[in-house]
Amino acid sequence: LSICFRTVEPLEYYRRFLKENCRPDGRELGEFRTTTYFFSSGSITTADGSALVKLGNTTVICGVKAELAAPAADSANKGYIVPNVELPSLCSERFRSGPPGEEAQAASQFIADVIENSQMLVKEDLCIANGKLAWVLYCDIICLDYDGNLLDASVFALLAALKNVQLPSVTINEETGLSEVNLKQKTPLIIRKHPVATSFAIFDDTLLIVDPTAEEEDLATGTVTIVTDEEGRLCSVHKPGGSPLTGAKLQDCITRAITRHKEVKKLIDKVIKSITPK
Amino acid sequence: DLPALPVPGDTSVLAGLYGPAEAKLSKELPDRAALEVLLRPKVGLPGVLERSREQLLRQTCEAVVLGVLHPRTAITLVLQVLSDAGSLLSCCLNAACMGLLDAGLPLSSLFCGVTCALDPDGTIILDPTTRQEQEARAVLSFAIDSSERKVLMATTKGSCSMEEMQQCLAAAQRAADTIFQFYRDSMRRKYSKS
């Protein structure tokens, strides 16, 4: 009977739970789904760095490939970071195959903004020889299973993958002018900041729930995503329309995001320690 | 099919609103109007940045337009950037709202866009020029609604602290009053002529 009710009147079904301050999957309003992720330098063996993140059912994989290119004329000492978010039709019935839809493009722009705003990677670090050679990092974020909260999972996957990247050392041969890549000598990327995203869904203009599933996102009247770094600074406040919020409510979201950052940081540190060769 | 043209400083955006008109079967929604926003940059083809801005604008407009009064229709908002001298996103928001007003669509409230830039030494600059935006530590854009000055849309560039964000928000809410007064005056002028 409850399945019938859920299909016919999903909003009423949800409201009944929200009145009791909990959600159909048993979580509280401020509780996140279980976050797991797999580093393994073998997640994607052909990539220079990769990570698979699962946030409940939402599964996102990020692969980073490093290639060489000449830096742009106006920024001779900067490399490039090119993020791309893909939502293939296999992850959810709402996405059709073909050119990237609006959600994928908006997510790609969001990730590019987070990298830029948080300064997690400084482009100058990617430069090998001023004006001649620099690294280009192609970060491909692909969603394998879409169950809401794509942005949080993507940012997390990106961070984990970048921490996993080992760049080979490159020298420029003085005589020939060609670059020589030494695959045996590898150095990890310098990650300066660790941004973590926290998404909220707004219900009925008043209630805020954390880490929405796909069903909750459909029923929500708005979403907010806050990205914080380890110093408690805001790297991004992303509220694309939806129900209006007061400044105080936004403040609550930010405080929750800062707590979440600490939880995630502990998780990352734990996994890094377990894979570092002793 | 009505154009609207607000001009803060030298940034200008032309908004054209079409609808509520018949929607294509693939796009129509059974219980509300389907809103579509197209943002055309001054030079070049629309790219990922325009798509992401379109999403921001679309969801902001969807929050105020009473779409349930016009089910199975399509409302199209086309924004053409004529010149960009900074604060482009808030100009687009203002153009969108004036377009919606001009077209006479039923709205639950009005909204306006305000951009704040945070100087490296912490001063808040409202409606920054392109130069100020580039030199700023952080640029925050808000869409404020007219009924209770709540935040409809927020987007930030660069990083800032929590307190700074709250200060910018407060400044934006105060500035919103001036913009709503401008809307009121423009509408008054438009209807007093006829």
Side-chain angles (χ1 to χ4, degrees), chain A residues 101-110 113 117 238-242, chain B residues 11-13 35-43 45-62 77-94 96 111 115 128 130 133 139-143 152-158:
Chain A
E102 187 197 77
E103 185 154 2
Q105 295 203 36
S108 302
Q109 184 61 44
F110 177 75
D113 287 342
N117 292 346
H238 183 78
K239 184 187 183 306
Chain B
T11 310
S12 54
V13 173
L35 194 68
E36 198 185 346
V37 177
L38 296 160
L39 179 61
R40 299 259 173 272
K42 185 170 162 211
V43 189
L45 288 167
V48 182
L49 181 62
E50 277 70 37
R51 277 275 170 278
S52 120
R53 291 227 164 114
E54 282 171 12
Q55 191 199 46
L56 292 174
L57 288 159
R58 183 174 55 83
Q59 291 186 309
T60 313
C61 294
E62 273 174 0
L77 177 64
V78 183
L79 295 159
Q80 170 67 56
V81 179
L82 299 171
S83 66
D84 181 7
S87 307
L88 185 62
L89 187 56
S90 14
C91 192
C92 291
L93 281 163
N94 292 334
F111 61 89
T115 308
T130 322
E133 279 181 357
V139 179
L140 299 91
S141 299
F142 298 104
L152 265 175
M153 191 277 301
T155 185
T156 61
K157 203 171 145 173

Side-chain angles (χ1 to χ4, degrees), chain B residues 10 22-23 27 29 34 42 46 57 62 78 80 90 100-101 108 141-142 151 159 176 183 187 192:
Chain B
D10 301 308
E22 191 171 328
K27 292 212 176 120
L29 296 168
K42 185 170 162 211
L57 288 159
E62 273 174 0
V78 183
Q80 170 67 56
S90 14
L100 290 168
L101 264 177
S108 64
S141 299
F142 298 104
V151 180
S159 72
Y183 286 176
M187 285 288 120
S192 66

